[in-house]
Amino acid sequence: MTVQKQLTAIIEREGEGYVSLCPELDIASQGDTIEQARQNLQEALELFFESASPEEIKHRLHNEVYVTRLDIAVG
């Protein structure tokens, strides 16, 4: 039985490409485009869930992750 799970993907430009990160599991990937970085991260996450033990998933998975913006005084 397949279960759908929503996870966070943070994608940022790094050099000539893009790096993607899932903060819930601290798994990262990369790609030449935003879409490629997203797809590669999705594949890495699916492979993790296929190969990791239930104990490892429970240990690594952070169920509450909040992404927000901050206003910081600089200078």
Side-chain angles (χ1 to χ4, degrees):
M1 181 174 141
T2 302
V3 176
Q4 292 292 107
K5 183 159 190 65
Q6 283 194 335
L7 297 169
T8 306
I10 298 171
I11 302 172
E12 63 181 323
R13 179 177 276 290
E14 187 171 294
E16 296 296 314
Y18 294 87
V19 173
S20 51
L21 170 69
C22 173
E24 287 94 341
L25 290 163
D26 196 28
I27 292 177
S29 192
Q30 62 185 19
D32 293 332
T33 65
I34 292 171
E35 183 60 26
Q36 188 180 55
R38 189 193 67 76
Q39 289 175 349
N40 290 344
L41 179 61
Q42 184 171 347
E43 183 178 314
L45 291 166
E46 289 170 351
L47 289 171
F48 170 77
F49 280 106
E50 286 175 14
S51 62
S53 69
E55 293 81 23
E56 183 178 5
I57 292 170
K58 183 179 176 183
H59 176 73
R60 290 188 60 174
L61 184 62
H62 305 287
N63 287 316
E64 291 190 44
V65 172
Y66 303 99
V67 177
T68 187
R69 299 203 47 106
L70 302 172
D71 292 322
I72 305 295
V74 179

